[in-house]
């Protein structure tokens, strides 16, 4: 019997994860199929229970279920606990273990661009789950200081209160413009959902003028967003979310199989899949 893996979310039809994971499974000689498992909130508990069946090797989890799956699991990794979110489920001897490989993918994406070390200053846009993952990744990379920017300062303050060991502060966009955080930033991370729709911007384009020429503008959305286009107009370095998507998927594959993931192949297939959908 061949194995089964899948992505749990609502919706999932847009995902390119199968185009990334299936070639990797095939290259590793693993007889398994990676599927899209559209799952509503009502059906979530039942879906998770099916991961205990013979032949099921694991699952990825995407919005809106990354937090909702937690009560149905038997254990969590430390990263998943701190993130308050699970994006990878690994069956282990009849038990279901939840992990979060988004933090790994995000941290490695930045590290491969030289964004790490004691001099690292970051600005994170947003205060939701992606922003929390960003703070965890920046913490791992040894960030010296982080500024979390949100439309409402209250939510940003609630988030930073969970990172007492990190030098992090909260502010609104209007406060940021008058602050020195932008000019000192090594990286600006868009951890909001603003960017999927064409021409949407999480900040006014003029804010980018305050960044130094060495700053990396990183949008976690895996497409060429308006933010990235505007950043390149200003000769700023840019990075979209595709490397993060591939790297978190590669780490998930390693957790499921115990084998080293073929990252280069996964990246190649991811780029092809994204191009085919653009």
């Amino acid at each position: 019997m061949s194995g089964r893996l899948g992505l749990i979310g609502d919706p999932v039809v847009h995902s390119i994860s199968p185009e990334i994971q299936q070639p990797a499974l095939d290259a590793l000689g693993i007889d398994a199929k990676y599927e899209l498992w559209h799952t509503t909130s009502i059906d979530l508990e039942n879906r998770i229970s099916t991961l205990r069946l013979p032949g099921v090797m694991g699952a990825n989890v995407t919005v809106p279920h990354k937090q909702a799956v937690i009560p149905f699991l038997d254990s969590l990794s430390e990263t998943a606990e701190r993130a308050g979110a699970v994006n990878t489920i690994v069956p282990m001897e009849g038990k279901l273990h939840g992990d979060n490989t988004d933090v790994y993918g995000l941290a490695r994406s930045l590290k491969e661009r030289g964004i790490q070390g004691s001099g690292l200053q970051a600005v994170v846009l947003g205060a939701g789950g992606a922003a929390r993952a960003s703070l965890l990744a920046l913490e791992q990379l040894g960030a010296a200081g982080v500024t979390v920017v949100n439309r409402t300062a209250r939510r940003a303050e609630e988030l930073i209160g969970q990172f007492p060991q990190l030098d992090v502060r909260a502010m609104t966009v209007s406060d940021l413009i008058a602050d020195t955080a932008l000019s000192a930033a090594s990286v600006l991370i868009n951890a909001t959902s603003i960017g999927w729709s064409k021409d949407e911007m999480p900040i006014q384009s003029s804010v980018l003028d305050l960044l130094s020429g060495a700053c990396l503008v990183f949008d976690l959305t895996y497409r060429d967003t308006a933010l990235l286009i505007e950043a390149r107009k200003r000769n700023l370095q840019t990075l979209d979310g595709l490397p993060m998507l591939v790297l978190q998927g590669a780490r998930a594959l390693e957790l499921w199989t115990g084998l080293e993931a073929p990252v280069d192949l996964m990246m190649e297939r991811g780029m092809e899949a994204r191009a085919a959908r653009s």
Side-chain angles (χ1 to χ4, degrees), residues 73-89:
L73 305 178
D74 300 299
S75 62
L76 297 178
S77 69
E78 180 182 354
T79 301
E81 286 183 351
R82 292 196 63 198
V86 165
N87 81 320
T88 301
I89 300 175

Side-chain angles (χ1 to χ4, degrees), residues 15-24 34 265-266 269-270 273 277:
S15 175
I16 63 173
S17 288
E19 288 96 324
I20 295 172
Q21 294 285 8
Q22 192 61 56
Y34 190 97
L265 173 64
M266 297 173 80
R269 294 295 184 265
R277 307 238 181 142

Side-chain angles (χ1 to χ4, degrees), residues 58-277:
N60 286 130
V61 183
T62 189
V63 293
H65 301 319
K66 291 185 179 184
Q67 294 80 36
V69 298
I70 292 176
F72 308 129
L73 305 178
D74 300 299
S75 62
L76 297 178
S77 69
E78 180 182 354
T79 301
E81 286 183 351
R82 292 196 63 198
V86 165
N87 81 320
T88 301
I89 300 175
V90 186
M92 294 181 174
E93 299 179 349
K95 304 291 186 179
L96 296 179
H97 179 71
D99 210 326
N100 187 304
T101 64
D102 284 332
V103 176
Y104 169 86
L106 206 162
R108 184 169 165 185
S109 295
L110 289 173
K111 189 174 181 179
E112 290 185 353
R113 293 294 296 266
I115 305 297
Q116 62 177 323
S118 59
L120 171 55
Q121 297 284 339
V123 174
V124 177
L125 306 179
R132 184 191 300 270
S134 298
L135 290 181
L136 285 168
L138 290 166
E139 180 182 274
Q140 290 181 10
L141 294 171
V146 182
T147 301
V148 175
V149 183
N150 198 52
R151 286 175 294 181
T152 58
R154 180 186 59 80
R155 192 172 182 197
E157 288 165 356
E158 290 174 352
L159 174 60
I160 69 171
Q162 299 169 42
F163 290 84
Q165 65 277 45
L166 189 62
D167 182 7
V168 57
R169 57 193 180 133
M171 63 179 63
T172 63
V173 175
S174 58
D175 293 331
L176 178 66
I177 294 173
D179 194 83
T180 59
L182 285 168
S183 61
S186 312
V187 60
L188 171 72
I189 301 175
N190 178 26
T192 75
S193 59
I194 300 173
W196 272 110
S197 299
K198 189 177 181 180
D199 299 330
E200 281 188 340
M201 288 276 291
I203 52 175
Q204 293 183 348
S205 58
S206 58
V207 174
L208 297 172
D209 294 327
L210 302 176
L211 297 171
S212 75
C215 183
L216 173 69
V217 179
F218 183 14
D219 198 318
L220 303 189
T221 302
Y222 58 88
R223 63 179 294 272
D224 198 20
T225 65
L227 176 67
L228 298 179
I229 292 170
E230 289 296 325
R232 285 199 298 275
K233 288 180 181 178
R234 292 160 173 81
N235 295 317
L236 296 168
Q237 303 176 67
T238 61
L239 178 66
D240 64 53
L242 184 61
M244 175 184 168
L245 176 69
V246 170
L247 290 168
Q248 66 80 23
R251 180 59 184 150
L253 183 64
E254 292 172 350
L255 292 173
W256 295 324
T257 67
L259 301 174
E260 183 177 354
V263 175
D264 290 345
L265 173 64
M266 297 173 80
M267 184 67 72
E268 180 183 343
R269 294 295 184 265
M271 293 176 66
E272 292 172 355
R274 180 175 64 179
R277 307 238 181 142

